[in-house]
Amino acid sequence: MITIDNYLDSHFIHRSNWLRAAVLGANDGIISISSLAIGVATASTERDPILLATIAGLVAGALSMAAGEYVSVSSQTDIEKSDIEREKLELEQMPETELSILAQIYEKRGLKKETALQVAKELTEADALGAHIRDELGINEISQAKPIQAALASGAAFTAGGILPLLVTVFAPVTNMEYFLYGFTMLSLIILGAVSAKTGGSSISKAIIRIVIWGTIAMVLSAAVGYMFGVKL
């Protein structure tokens, strides 16, 4: 039975915050570590330098992704808090103006002027700040920034994605390792694109094409760097 408490369960929007961070982290982990390993593999005849670069890149990348995501989303949170405090002040200093603004918002959404004003009054009486945060600022529980959640999802996803090419550098033959890395990475990206599209309710084919194209560009350029320098380690 659908109720106000579970009606969003069948929708995908409530997954947007953690899904964005997780897909970004996993995609970055796979492509970054694969590209790094390919770049070193094309300029090396030994496994140790490839492994060292891959492990160092995995650790640094995971920490960087988590820290970057936390700082980025925290900045968004700070902006939201600043706007909420400003809204509180405006409600105290000019309540009639704020009521009028709220009514105009509802009127623009399709309500008659009298109905919009009545709705604005009733919502103001129930929770004035909540009404303005939601309908004037566009901040709600679904879209509200969550720095810790985003940082953990991003760091963990980068690590999970980066471990895949690391396993290739451990077990694949050193000779022509870049081709093993490319093939395994493409397979991983296709799976990631399909899973993320399925989880987010979007087109699987578009997600796969998008992620494969950009992954290929990154790895080809990384391999080109190794070949251009031509340094055998």
Side-chain angles (χ1 to χ4, degrees), residues 20 74 93 100 115 119 162 171 233:
R20 179 191 64 82
S74 292
Q93 295 179 344
S100 175
T115 306
V119 170
F171 296 108
L233 302 177

PDB file of all heavy atoms in Angstrom, residues 20 74 93 100 115 119 162 171 233:
ATOM      1  N   ARG A  20      25.657   9.439  -7.154  1.00  0.00           N
ATOM      2  CA  ARG A  20      26.571  10.308  -7.883  1.00  0.00           C
ATOM      3  C   ARG A  20      27.988  10.152  -7.362  1.00  0.00           C
ATOM      4  O   ARG A  20      28.945   9.989  -8.126  1.00  0.00           O
ATOM      5  CB  ARG A  20      26.132  11.768  -7.747  1.00  0.00           C
ATOM      6  CG  ARG A  20      27.055  12.756  -8.467  1.00  0.00           C
ATOM      7  CD  ARG A  20      26.718  14.185  -8.065  1.00  0.00           C
ATOM      8  NE  ARG A  20      26.973  14.404  -6.671  1.00  0.00           N
ATOM      9  CZ  ARG A  20      28.171  14.688  -6.172  1.00  0.00           C
ATOM     10  NH1 ARG A  20      29.228  14.743  -6.956  1.00  0.00           N
ATOM     11  NH2 ARG A  20      28.331  14.894  -4.883  1.00  0.00           N
ATOM     12  N   SER A  74      30.766  20.018   1.676  1.00  0.00           N
ATOM     13  CA  SER A  74      30.706  20.881   2.863  1.00  0.00           C
ATOM     14  C   SER A  74      30.508  22.335   2.464  1.00  0.00           C
ATOM     15  O   SER A  74      29.800  23.088   3.146  1.00  0.00           O
ATOM     16  CB  SER A  74      31.987  20.746   3.687  1.00  0.00           C
ATOM     17  OG  SER A  74      32.088  19.473   4.272  1.00  0.00           O
ATOM     18  N   GLN A  93      12.161  40.131  10.145  1.00  0.00           N
ATOM     19  CA  GLN A  93      12.161  41.558   9.834  1.00  0.00           C
ATOM     20  C   GLN A  93      11.043  41.966   8.874  1.00  0.00           C
ATOM     21  O   GLN A  93      10.543  43.091   8.944  1.00  0.00           O
ATOM     22  CB  GLN A  93      13.518  41.957   9.242  1.00  0.00           C
ATOM     23  CG  GLN A  93      14.668  41.810  10.223  1.00  0.00           C
ATOM     24  CD  GLN A  93      16.010  42.179   9.606  1.00  0.00           C
ATOM     25  OE1 GLN A  93      16.144  42.269   8.380  1.00  0.00           O
ATOM     26  NE2 GLN A  93      17.010  42.395  10.450  1.00  0.00           N
ATOM     27  N   SER A 100       4.115  37.265   0.984  1.00  0.00           N
ATOM     28  CA  SER A 100       3.752  37.622  -0.384  1.00  0.00           C
ATOM     29  C   SER A 100       4.602  36.852  -1.406  1.00  0.00           C
ATOM     30  O   SER A 100       4.084  36.386  -2.425  1.00  0.00           O
ATOM     31  CB  SER A 100       3.936  39.129  -0.590  1.00  0.00           C
ATOM     32  OG  SER A 100       3.710  39.489  -1.936  1.00  0.00           O
ATOM     33  N   THR A 115      -6.151  31.298  -3.798  1.00  0.00           N
ATOM     34  CA  THR A 115      -5.755  29.982  -3.269  1.00  0.00           C
ATOM     35  C   THR A 115      -4.290  29.988  -2.855  1.00  0.00           C
ATOM     36  O   THR A 115      -3.928  29.445  -1.808  1.00  0.00           O
ATOM     37  CB  THR A 115      -5.985  28.883  -4.330  1.00  0.00           C
ATOM     38  OG1 THR A 115      -7.339  28.933  -4.790  1.00  0.00           O
ATOM     39  CG2 THR A 115      -5.682  27.511  -3.751  1.00  0.00           C
ATOM     40  N   VAL A 119      -2.872  29.148   0.822  1.00  0.00           N
ATOM     41  CA  VAL A 119      -1.893  28.083   1.051  1.00  0.00           C
ATOM     42  C   VAL A 119      -0.664  28.644   1.751  1.00  0.00           C
ATOM     43  O   VAL A 119      -0.135  28.049   2.703  1.00  0.00           O
ATOM     44  CB  VAL A 119      -1.495  27.418  -0.289  1.00  0.00           C
ATOM     45  CG1 VAL A 119      -0.301  26.471  -0.081  1.00  0.00           C
ATOM     46  CG2 VAL A 119      -2.663  26.655  -0.865  1.00  0.00           C
ATOM     47  N   GLY A 162      39.611   1.015  -8.044  1.00  0.00           N
ATOM     48  CA  GLY A 162      41.055   0.961  -8.260  1.00  0.00           C
ATOM     49  C   GLY A 162      41.663  -0.401  -7.996  1.00  0.00           C
ATOM     50  O   GLY A 162      42.721  -0.738  -8.556  1.00  0.00           O
ATOM     51  N   PHE A 171      48.616 -10.069 -11.506  1.00  0.00           N
ATOM     52  CA  PHE A 171      48.523 -11.404 -12.103  1.00  0.00           C
ATOM     53  C   PHE A 171      48.795 -11.462 -13.611  1.00  0.00           C
ATOM     54  O   PHE A 171      49.147 -12.517 -14.122  1.00  0.00           O
ATOM     55  CB  PHE A 171      47.132 -11.990 -11.830  1.00  0.00           C
ATOM     56  CG  PHE A 171      46.862 -12.223 -10.371  1.00  0.00           C
ATOM     57  CD1 PHE A 171      45.977 -11.408  -9.669  1.00  0.00           C
ATOM     58  CD2 PHE A 171      47.499 -13.248  -9.688  1.00  0.00           C
ATOM     59  CE1 PHE A 171      45.725 -11.617  -8.319  1.00  0.00           C
ATOM     60  CE2 PHE A 171      47.255 -13.460  -8.338  1.00  0.00           C
ATOM     61  CZ  PHE A 171      46.372 -12.650  -7.644  1.00  0.00           C
ATOM     62  N   LEU A 233      62.141   1.139 -17.636  1.00  0.00           N
ATOM     63  CA  LEU A 233      62.540   1.107 -16.226  1.00  0.00           C
ATOM     64  C   LEU A 233      62.978  -0.273 -15.792  1.00  0.00           C
ATOM     65  O   LEU A 233      62.497  -1.261 -16.291  1.00  0.00           O
ATOM     66  CB  LEU A 233      61.344   1.566 -15.382  1.00  0.00           C
ATOM     67  CG  LEU A 233      60.808   2.964 -15.710  1.00  0.00           C
ATOM     68  CD1 LEU A 233      59.589   3.259 -14.841  1.00  0.00           C
ATOM     69  CD2 LEU A 233      61.855   4.033 -15.509  1.00  0.00           C
TER      70      LEU A 233
END
